[in-house]
Amino acid sequence: MQGDDAELTAAVRAAQGGDETAFRTVYRTVHPRLLGYVRTLVGEAEAEDVASEAWLQIARDLERFTGDADRFRGWAARIARNRALDHIRMRGRRPAIGGDESELAGHAADADTAGEALEALGTGQTLALIAQLPQDQAEAVVLRVVVGLDAKSAAGVLGKRPGAVRTAAHRGLRRLAELVTAGGGRQIADAAPGQRQSHTGAGGANASAGVTQLRARTQKDM
């Protein structure tokens, strides 16, 4: 178990015993990535409200949770997904992903796959392009590279087989690379005026390379 995972596991167990400081540590560690996943489902405008509902349930049911940091991330993601799907059913729609992924930066361990993935996703505002993926691919990519779940844990959240999640994540990452190469930067600039960034020249090449490297790393980890 990596150091960060050991710390999260310890914080979860202390929080289960009523340690409020430990619960705040759990929240600060998990919330930014969980919020990124919720955005995949409900969009930027409603993500905070849905995530808050998820944390209320997490706090309420925490005593019944068993497992380590990996299992906790998967458990929390499953709760967040259920709250998001309830919200979507009420609205009768699936909003596009939006928002500023800067909240996600700097929360991953330096050596883990999710940390490398976030670095690549942040290059060229690639996270915004996930809005153009089919729902299964978008969720698989975000769960794998933002929340940091392995294929088995992500499959548990989605109610699918690990192989199906691996395939969806691979296809989603491949499509992201194609979108960046095909001029995704211009589409992002049009969709998110407050987050514009140049993707021409070397910047566009770096963004494409980042997603390609991300796909290779994630495939290796699958």
Side-chain angles (χ1 to χ4, degrees):
M1 183 182 296
Q2 296 181 353
D4 284 358
D5 279 357
E7 291 176 8
L8 178 56
T9 299
V12 168
R13 290 173 180 168
Q16 289 178 305
D19 188 328
E20 294 183 3
T21 299
F23 185 82
R24 286 195 291 271
T25 297
V26 172
Y27 178 86
R28 287 195 300 269
T29 301
V30 176
H31 177 68
R33 294 168 182 275
L34 199 66
L35 181 61
Y37 176 47
V38 172
R39 285 189 181 120
T40 305
L41 297 166
V42 302
E44 171 67 16
E46 298 163 319
E48 287 282 1
D49 289 342
V50 173
S52 294
E53 293 174 7
W55 278 106
L56 286 173
Q57 182 176 344
I58 290 168
R60 185 190 68 203
D61 297 345
L62 185 59
E63 290 184 0
R64 297 200 293 269
F65 169 77
T66 58
D68 58 9
D70 281 337
R71 287 181 63 85
F72 180 81
R73 281 189 288 262
W75 180 71
R78 188 162 56 250
I79 289 173
R81 186 175 194 265
N82 288 339
R83 297 288 69 74
L85 294 180
D86 287 344
H87 190 80
I88 290 168
R89 280 190 287 268
M90 291 176 61
R91 296 291 185 268
R93 60 186 175 83
R94 176 207 166 191
I97 298 168
D100 181 1
E101 71 273 21
S102 61
E103 293 181 26
L104 303 175
H107 291 276
D110 291 340
D112 69 8
T113 302
E116 295 172 349
L118 284 171
E119 181 180 357
L121 282 172
T123 302
Q125 302 281 359
T126 309
L127 187 57
L129 288 175
I130 298 176
Q132 301 180 37
L133 298 178
Q135 180 71 19
D136 64 329
Q137 295 178 18
E139 286 198 71
V141 168
V142 174
L143 283 172
R144 293 299 311 279
V145 303
V146 176
V147 180
L149 303 183
D150 60 22
K152 182 178 179 180
S153 297
V157 172
L158 298 174
K160 297 182 178 180
R161 297 186 304 276
V165 173
R166 294 187 187 100
T167 299
H170 171 66
R171 290 175 177 170
L173 291 168
R174 183 175 59 190
R175 179 58 180 156
L176 286 177
E178 293 171 355
L179 288 170
V180 172
T181 302
R186 178 180 57 77
Q187 297 170 27
I188 294 173
D190 292 341
Q195 303 168 34
R196 292 181 183 177
Q197 179 176 339
S198 173
H199 299 276
T200 57
N206 288 339
S208 179
V211 177
T212 301
Q213 293 165 6
L214 166 60
R215 184 173 69 250
R217 285 195 294 267
T218 306
Q219 273 190 279
K220 183 178 180 181
D221 182 49
M222 286 176 176

